Structures are given as structure tokens and as C-alpha cells.
Amino acid sequence: RNAYGLLHAAISPYISTDGWNIRLPQKRKKEPYIPTEQEVKDLIAAVAGTKYETPFKLAAYCGLRRSEICALTFDDVKDGYLYINKALVKDKNNEYHLKPPKTEAGYRRLKLPDNIIIEGSGPERITNLTPAALSQKCRKLAGGKFSIHDLRHFYASVLLHLGIPNKYSAKQMGHSGDEMLRRV
């Protein structure tokens, strides 16, 4: 599809493509992958004691998006809670900057699990990693089987397994409704 789009865009100003009868293959829907509990344990064990440990735990055990993880500051951790109020994203110049969540549901307070220890204070980010660096490391350690975003799927499945109603799970994950949980 991409090759056809590029070719068509490049030659259509010079050659009429009206008579072309090209049938492209159907797009295939990618099924979301949910890592197993053992795969998550193995991933966390592989990064234990490294700069990746806390970010991967935040994805797997709090359901945070990679952009939210990278935007967290020590000031966003208070009295055992995480306050999610920003994301680290790329702009049109391919440079990272902080921005508020896309929707009001993106602002949330989450109880920090006992297995995640964040020590420090002040406005510094808890990790200097970028969302792309987190993705790259997760894919490498998982052998390409799953991504850091799939750790959110793992977290959602844990909430479902615990019997947490979708309405509350969606709120925990920063969705404005439970449609995403039902669909994915």
C-alpha cells in the first residue's frame, strides 16, 4: 500500500493513472497481544536494578502510557499516589516536549503499588528516557513478541481478572469510557 501510494504520487503528475485497475490487498487488523504473567515477570527481572525497571513496572502494574511515564516528575509522586497530568510527546519537528493529556480522563490519581519505589523530590523527571527508548528496549527484551504498550493490555487483563468493573478500570487507565476496554 505504501509503495503504491508513493509510486502513484510520484508519477501521476506526468502520466494519467485513470485506466489503472489495481486491486490492493485488504488491510489486516492487528490483534492486540497480552503478555502472560510469566513474560512480564521475565521482563521485569531482566531490567531489575536498571534505569528501565521503574518505567516498565509503571506500564505493567499501573497501566501507564509510555508518554505518561516519561513525563512523570518526582513532584507527581505524593503520599503513595501518582498524579498523572502530562505526557512527553514529539512535535511536528520531531522534538520531545511536555503537553497536557488529550482528554480530561487523562488527568488521574493512581495508588502506587508496593513493588514500585520512587525516591526523589523536585521537578526533575523520574526517568530521562524517551518513549521511543522505552519501546525499543521492551521490544528487544521481549524478542519482538510484544511492546511496552502491550503492558497496558496486561494491566487491563489483570483488572478484568480481579473483577474490577470496566467503568473503574477505564478511569484507572485514563480512558473517558469503557468502550476501549470492551473492544480491545
Side-chain angles (χ1 to χ4, degrees), residues 7 12 25 32 42 71 99 101 123 127 135 143 151 168:
L7 178 65
S12 62
D42 292 345
K99 73 169 197 84
T127 181
S135 293
L151 295 176
Y168 300 111

Side-chain angles (χ1 to χ4, degrees), residues 37 39-66 68-70 72 82 84 108 110-119 126-127 129 134 137-138 141 146-156 158 172-173:
E37 187 175 352
E39 288 172 326
V40 172
K41 284 180 181 178
D42 292 345
L43 177 71
I44 300 300
V47 296
T50 72
K51 61 186 177 182
Y52 295 97
E53 182 177 11
T54 298
F56 285 4
K57 282 183 173 182
L58 288 169
Y61 303 130
C62 296
L64 295 186
R65 297 172 178 96
R66 63 187 195 142
E68 294 169 337
I69 294 166
C70 293
L72 276 176
L82 292 173
I84 311 304
R108 57 202 192 280
L110 305 174
K111 180 78 174 118
L112 191 61
D114 293 338
N115 67 341
I116 302 176
I117 299 168
I118 298 175
E119 295 176 341
I126 64 167
T127 181
L129 296 165
L134 290 179
K137 185 67 169 183
C138 187
L141 290 172
F146 61 89
S147 68
I148 190 164
H149 184 78
D150 292 327
L151 295 176
R152 276 176 60 83
H153 296 298
F154 169 78
Y155 180 71
V158 168
Q172 181 91 1
M173 296 186 70

